[in-house]
């Protein structure tokens, strides 16, 4: 128990900073209002969507995955907009845990404690954990993508390569700037795996990406890929 006490204290601090008086200080601007209205229609009117928020530039849309992340929280809180903010707070807390695990695995216990503590108290990281917005979960899913690819290379379990691709599909739906992780994962794959496995591993990542991005891909296929063309 004493061994885990520092991490427990860090998580307690992180939880307090993320959950304390969340409803009293929630940020609720235009993007949050738009998202809540769309998810409310999904819950009340059963108007499901395959299209996400409008991108800030370029005249195209992102994927709808974040709406589906929001849905159970908005429903559980009886359509109160604070529900999706609790989703962000939970993901923020999980990100602190993931940073601890990541740094402990690649460095050591001391580095893991310092990194997770800094993440727990960082004003900007705390801020993005206290309101709902589709780019806010990016640190969590990007870390998962890197870890899954690394575990796949170490344990030689193909399912983890597929899961890395799924995380990339989710990241692509959260924000288009996350396409940078496709390049990062591709370079990492070339460095982690022997060249004889490159084609197979690329296929597995693409398969996972299709799964993770499936909601958005269905819309694009049905409508002639309008957002892919605009993004290009």
């Amino acid at each position: 128990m004493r061994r885990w006490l520092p991490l427990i204290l860090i998580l307690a601090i992180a939880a307090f900073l993320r959950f304390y008086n969340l409803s009293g200080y929630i940020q609720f601007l235009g993007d949050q209002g738009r998202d809540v209205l769309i998810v409310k229609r999904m819950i009340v009117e059963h108007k499901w969507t395959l299209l996400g928020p409008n991108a800030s530039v370029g005249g195209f849309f992102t994927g709808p995955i974040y709406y589906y992340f929001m849905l159970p929280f908005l429903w559980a809180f009886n359509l109160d907009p604070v529900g999706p903010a609790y989703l962000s707070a939970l993901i923020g807390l999980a990100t602190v845990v993931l940073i601890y695990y990541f740094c402990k695995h690649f460095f050591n216990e001391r580095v893991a404690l310092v990194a997770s503590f800094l993440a727990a108290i960082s004003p900007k990281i705390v801020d993005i954990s206290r309101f709902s917005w589709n780019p806010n979960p990016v640190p969590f899913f990007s870390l998962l993508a890197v870890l899954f690819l690394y575990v796949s290379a170490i344990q030689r379990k193909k399912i983890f390569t597929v899961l890395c691709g799924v995380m990339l599909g989710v990241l692509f739906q959260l924000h288009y700037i996350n396409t940078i992780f496709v390049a990062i994962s591709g370079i990492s794959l070339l460095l982690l795996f022997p060249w004889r496995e490159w084609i197979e591993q690329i296929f597995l990542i693409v398969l996972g990406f299709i799964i993770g991005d499936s909601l958005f891909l269905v819309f694009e296929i049905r409508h002639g890929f309008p957002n892919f063309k605009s993004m290009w």
Side-chain angles (χ1 to χ4, degrees), residues 63-221:
I65 191 69
Y66 190 69
Y67 292 155
Y68 290 90
F69 290 160
M70 289 174 59
L71 193 150
F73 287 84
L74 192 64
W75 173 82
F77 281 79
N78 197 26
L79 304 183
D80 188 332
V82 76
Y86 276 94
L87 165 66
S88 289
L90 286 171
I91 292 176
L93 189 61
T95 304
V96 175
V97 176
L98 202 57
I99 288 171
Y100 172 84
Y101 175 81
F102 186 93
C103 292
K104 183 179 179 181
H105 188 76
F106 285 99
F107 302 101
N108 55 54
E109 178 81 11
R110 182 177 298 177
V111 172
L113 289 172
V114 171
S116 57
F117 176 71
L118 292 175
I121 66 171
S122 166
K124 186 59 180 177
I125 297 178
V126 171
D127 178 53
I128 66 171
S129 299
R130 288 180 59 88
F131 71 97
S132 176
W133 195 35
N134 53 295
N136 290 354
V138 167
F140 178 75
F141 288 104
S142 58
L143 272 175
L144 274 182
V146 173
L147 281 172
F148 281 142
L149 189 60
Y150 179 77
V151 171
S152 177
I154 297 300
Q155 298 186 7
R156 286 295 187 266
K157 293 183 177 179
K158 298 175 183 178
I159 184 62
F160 289 106
T161 305
V162 176
L163 288 173
C164 173
V166 172
M167 295 303 105
L168 293 177
V170 171
L171 285 166
F172 184 75
Q173 290 196 63
L174 292 175
H175 203 287
Y176 283 122
I177 198 171
N178 295 326
T179 51
I180 186 65
F181 290 108
V182 175
I184 292 171
S185 299
I187 294 171
S188 300
L189 185 150
L190 299 180
L191 294 174
L192 289 171
F193 293 89
W195 66 270
R196 294 180 183 86
E197 299 181 23
W198 286 355
I199 294 178
E200 180 185 33
Q201 294 298 323
I202 290 172
F203 171 80
L204 292 173
I205 283 188
V206 171
L207 174 63
F209 181 88
I210 292 172
I211 295 171
D213 196 38
S214 57
L215 292 172
F216 191 45
L217 285 175
V218 169
F219 176 88
E220 289 296 284
I221 292 170

Side-chain angles (χ1 to χ4, degrees), residues 15-81:
F16 175 79
L17 292 175
R18 285 156 178 77
F19 288 99
Y20 174 72
N21 200 10
L22 192 58
S23 60
Y25 290 96
I26 185 175
Q27 176 176 307
F28 194 75
L29 304 176
D31 287 348
Q32 287 73 43
R34 172 205 61 200
D35 294 347
V36 165
L37 284 174
I38 291 172
V39 178
K40 174 254 185 183
R41 294 189 192 106
M42 293 167 65
I43 296 171
V44 176
E45 304 171 26
H46 306 295
K47 292 184 177 179
W48 307 101
T49 182
L50 296 174
L51 204 59
N54 188 18
S56 55
V57 293
F60 47 84
F61 292 81
T62 59
I65 191 69
Y66 190 69
Y67 292 155
Y68 290 90
F69 290 160
M70 289 174 59
L71 193 150
F73 287 84
L74 192 64
W75 173 82
F77 281 79
N78 197 26
L79 304 183
D80 188 332

